[in-house]
Amino acid sequence: RHVADFQLSIASVTEDSSSDCLAQDLHLQAQKLAERLKCDAVVREISAGPGTVNFTINRELLAKTVLQQVLKDGSQYGVKSELFSTVPRQKAVIEFSSPNIAKKFHVGHLRSTIVGNFIANLKVALGHEVIRINYLGDWGMQFGLLGVGFQHFGNKEKLKSSPLQHLFEVYVQINKAAEDENTKKLAKDFFRKLEEHDEQTLSLWKQFRDFSIEEYSRIYKRLGVHFDEYSGESFYHEKSQEILKTLEDKGLLQKTIKGTGIVDLSEKKDLSSFSTVMRSDGTSLYITRQFLIISFRDLAAAIDRMHKHSCDAMIYVTDKSQSNHFQHLFQILKLMGYDWAERCQHVSFGLVQGMKTRRGEVIFLEDVLNEVRSRMLQNMASAKTTKEVEDPMETAEKVGLAALIIQDFRGLLSSDYQFSWDRALQSRGDTGVFLQYTHARLHSLEQMHGNEQLTDINVACLQEPDAISVLQHLLRYDEVLYRSSQDLQPKHIVSYLLTLSHLAAVAHKTLPVKGSAPELAQARLCLFQAARLVLASGMKLLGITPVTQM
């Protein structure tokens, strides 16, 4: 028995919405309505069900319309939909990743990196202009400590060859002596010199920053991520005084009995909600976003960005423990008279538990990439079906990354989840490995049966239920993109692509190309090509590079 393509529930359109409207009445109304409606070029059958009117669309039209559209639009399929025709093209600044120099690149930074990259990809695909900013933790007292540590334990060669690891090791070593009075004094002196632009001190700091960025860029490239701007807290330390003055001039800065500077955020101005912005010793609080302390630097950075880029949206991608921080930041900006604060948005995500490498906890982003590559290589080597791949290292990395990203994006971003290598790297089930496998399989099907441009194909012969299921699913792609563009959640696209892969896998079994009559073989090939194109487009939006062999 065939299932209808669309259903209209009679209860949703009747005047009498009281629940005592009997089922048989609804059924009767459904039958009456179904009889009055006429079929046309699109709808080929109308029938009544229990309280519903069912519509079936013209199968030939479906096949023709969908396949023509996918092959014509290619990677633009779905994006060119009329759903987006009224959406204004905008300019967005997205701040994401944002690690601290000389400290661990923890899993939260990894999540921020892939989520921010997804949002940027989606916006660019929809025709918006995007500026990707990496806001580094590159200033503050810890650089006093790091500077002293480098003078003791540093090595210029190591700083050049592996800056992230070397600075981290130096920082760990000097931290052991951080409580020592002499070390404290030296660190304070080093940082003071830095703030006073002492040439030698500044030159060393600049090397820490430049070499770190160079290495980060190389690793981000492996992830398929790039930034238009490496900003950082160092850019704004001098603008802090201006912010302080503005807050004072506007009468927004209040002092507590202890001398701490606060900004009242309450509606009744009764201090029921306030934000601390200044220590009692007069120093601008070095930003520790965790403790609801707004640094003048964050305010300065937001104002500077808006001034420089005059964007329609400013998006910050960090974990949800910082939600209050951003709420306060946006409120203070509004109190300072910046109405654009309403266009600022915090996209928050939950915590990942249990991501460890074989060597222990994750310290560097590179550890994760190497781990996922080596585990995937091992799986590929032990799989019976693996053909000889041209570049196994690169394939393993791309497939492994797909596994990481899909595991991360399957649920709501705000939910915490328990990470598992075994679950992420399974080849069956709802995983990134399965998506890559499906893409590679569809690609080799095209290669096997000639890659010629398919023209003048009679797709009307695609009448089998498994072909129709794929076609109907392809038709829905624009709705899924629209949903993700509205709430910036990747899970809609993820579940769409997983379903597409399952449907394509079934169709691949039941609708052979090989051994079918030429016309039918061509039509089926066309169907599989369309499925692969949409699968590849969706994967790229998520930040995954589709592989063609596995």
Side-chain angles (χ1 to χ4, degrees):
R1 189 182 92 72
H2 106 101
V3 186
D5 300 320
F6 296 99
Q7 262 188 346
L8 172 72
S9 152
I10 287 293
S12 69
V13 289
T14 46
E15 304 289 295
D16 182 20
S17 58
S18 57
S19 52
D20 49 317
C21 192
L22 296 171
Q24 62 234 47
D25 290 347
L26 284 177
H27 192 49
L28 205 65
Q29 283 179 318
Q31 277 175 325
K32 276 186 183 158
L33 183 58
E35 279 161 20
R36 281 170 57 197
L37 294 170
K38 303 246 183 307
C39 294
D40 61 9
V42 179
V43 179
R44 78 160 194 210
E45 194 184 314
I46 302 169
S47 61
T52 60
V53 178
N54 303 328
F55 302 88
T56 306
I57 26 186
N58 175 339
R59 297 292 184 242
E60 282 180 35
L61 188 73
L62 173 73
K64 218 173 177 158
T65 313
V66 173
L67 296 180
Q68 265 178 357
Q69 203 66 48
V70 177
L71 298 180
K72 183 176 134 240
D73 291 349
S75 62
Q76 290 285 298
Y77 176 71
V79 173
K80 284 186 163 179
S81 157
E82 68 264 24
L83 278 180
F84 296 106
S85 59
T86 57
V87 179
R89 299 284 172 261
Q90 293 188 325
K91 184 176 188 179
V93 165
I94 306 175
E95 178 199 295
F96 62 105
S97 196
S98 308
N100 298 305
I101 288 177
K103 291 190 180 174
K104 283 186 228 170
F105 189 104
H106 56 76
V107 185
H109 292 126
L110 175 63
R111 257 201 123 170
S112 170
T113 308
I114 60 178
V115 172
N117 187 49
F118 157 70
I119 294 172
N121 289 346
L122 182 63
K123 287 197 170 288
V124 167
L126 296 174
H128 303 296
E129 187 186 341
V130 170
I131 290 122
R132 305 164 187 244
I133 296 182
N134 198 337
Y135 186 66
L136 300 173
D138 63 356
W139 199 252
M141 266 316 287
Q142 83 255 33
F143 281 89
L145 205 53
L146 184 64
V148 175
F150 197 79
Q151 286 160 353
H152 284 304
F153 315 110
N155 174 318
K156 284 270 159 102
E157 284 312 301
K158 281 187 181 168
L159 178 63
K160 263 195 180 128
S161 59
S162 50
L164 301 179
Q165 181 145 6
H166 185 53
L167 289 175
F168 178 73
E169 284 162 2
V170 167
Y171 194 62
V172 168
Q173 265 180 301
I174 192 68
N175 249 315
K176 291 174 188 160
E179 288 311 304
D180 166 62
E181 284 310 314
N182 188 36
T183 310
K184 271 187 187 167
K185 187 186 161 318
L186 289 170
K188 251 193 169 131
D189 288 347
F190 188 94
F191 189 55
R192 198 195 64 247
K193 281 183 179 169
L194 202 50
E195 289 200 294
E196 290 167 359
H197 293 251
D198 170 70
E199 226 170 280
Q200 221 178 339
T201 319
L202 206 56
S203 146
L204 184 61
W205 170 84
K206 205 171 160 353
Q207 285 181 34
F208 293 167
R209 185 180 157 48
D210 294 349
F211 287 139
S212 295
I213 288 178
E214 218 170 282
E215 191 173 1
Y216 271 133
S217 303
R218 181 179 62 73
I219 301 163
Y220 284 133
K221 202 171 173 181
R222 277 178 69 179
L223 255 179
V225 172
H226 72 276
F227 291 92
D228 301 303
E229 217 175 279
Y230 280 89
S231 176
E233 293 166 356
S234 60
F235 284 57
Y236 301 106
H237 68 97
E238 288 175 353
K239 297 201 172 144
S240 298
Q241 292 311 310
E242 293 170 31
I243 299 289
L244 173 61
K245 196 173 167 338
T246 310
L247 289 173
E248 280 175 336
D249 291 350
K250 290 189 179 277
L252 295 170
L253 191 69
Q254 301 183 25
K255 288 273 169 69
T256 62
I257 301 162
K258 290 181 180 158
T260 315
I262 59 170
V263 175
D264 187 355
L265 300 174
S266 61
E267 278 188 25
K268 295 182 180 158
K269 297 296 165 221
D270 56 3
L271 288 179
S272 53
S273 156
F274 65 86
S275 183
T276 308
V277 291
M278 210 165 89
R279 279 205 197 92
S280 52
D281 63 4
T283 55
S284 147
L285 284 163
Y286 173 64
I287 174 152
T288 42
R289 279 179 170 173
Q290 282 73 348
F291 302 113
L292 264 203
I293 290 164
I294 304 295
S295 86
F296 296 150
R297 247 167 272 157
D298 273 14
L299 291 163
I303 294 165
D304 177 63
R305 265 174 220 175
M306 196 41 102
H307 182 71
K308 184 173 162 189
H309 298 296
S310 55
C311 50
D312 303 290
M314 189 142 53
I315 298 171
Y316 296 83
V317 184
T318 71
D319 71 70
K320 61 185 178 189
S321 71
Q322 297 181 19
S323 293
N324 281 343
H325 166 88
F326 284 105
Q327 225 176 327
H328 283 199
L329 179 69
F330 304 156
Q331 276 177 292
I332 294 175
L333 285 166
K334 201 148 176 15
L335 288 172
M336 288 171 79
Y338 296 112
D339 290 342
W340 48 257
E342 293 182 351
R343 306 205 295 269
C344 295
Q345 185 184 0
H346 177 219
V347 174
S348 62
F349 51 80
L351 306 173
V352 184
Q353 278 110 8
M355 188 191 273
K356 288 193 164 45
T357 66
R358 290 195 174 92
R359 299 220 308 260
E361 77 166 324
V362 171
I363 297 179
F364 305 110
L365 174 56
E366 196 146 26
D367 297 342
V368 183
L369 298 182
N370 293 342
E371 181 82 9
V372 72
R373 182 170 67 187
S374 72
R375 283 178 184 259
M376 202 58 228
L377 271 171
Q378 220 175 344
N379 289 7
M380 280 161 59
S382 58
K384 307 275 184 292
T385 52
T386 305
K387 295 195 190 81
E388 277 308 304
V389 176
E390 275 163 33
D391 188 345
M393 290 279 272
E394 186 153 332
T395 301
E397 182 148 311
K398 285 174 181 162
V399 176
L401 267 175
L404 275 187
I405 289 171
I406 295 300
Q407 168 143 305
D408 197 284
F409 285 178
R410 278 190 60 194
L412 262 176
L413 291 178
S414 57
S415 44
D416 305 339
Y417 74 92
Q418 195 65 36
F419 180 83
S420 147
W421 285 108
D422 293 338
R423 198 174 61 237
L425 297 173
Q426 276 171 0
S427 55
R428 297 222 181 328
D430 290 343
T431 65
V433 182
F434 173 59
L435 289 187
Q436 288 283 31
Y437 175 67
T438 306
H439 184 272
R441 218 169 139 193
L442 292 174
H443 185 267
S444 70
L445 184 72
E446 281 173 50
Q447 298 300 96
M448 220 159 51
H449 295 280
N451 227 347
E452 76 268 13
Q453 262 320 101
L454 305 170
T455 46
D456 287 341
I457 293 169
N458 178 17
V459 289
C461 52
L462 294 172
Q463 294 288 329
E464 300 84 356
D466 292 337
I468 300 299
S469 298
V470 173
L471 289 165
Q472 285 174 333
H473 196 62
L474 291 175
L475 189 59
R476 283 192 43 240
Y477 185 54
D478 60 345
E479 293 168 31
V480 175
L481 291 183
Y482 187 75
R483 277 188 74 181
S484 278
S485 75
Q486 291 298 298
D487 63 7
L488 302 183
Q489 294 284 340
K491 71 181 184 110
H492 313 304
I493 296 175
V494 170
S495 70
Y496 175 88
L497 295 179
L498 288 165
T499 303
L500 176 60
S501 295
H502 286 298
L503 293 173
V506 171
H508 190 265
K509 275 201 191 94
T510 60
L511 311 173
V513 174
K514 199 176 171 185
S516 301
E519 190 179 49
L520 190 58
Q522 282 281 49
R524 287 175 178 175
L525 205 51
C526 193
L527 177 74
F528 290 123
Q529 189 182 9
R532 186 189 64 77
L533 281 169
V534 174
L535 179 59
S537 288
M539 286 164 80
K540 286 175 190 162
L541 286 180
L542 298 173
I544 297 169
T545 307
V547 298
T548 53
Q549 301 178 298
M550 238 173 104

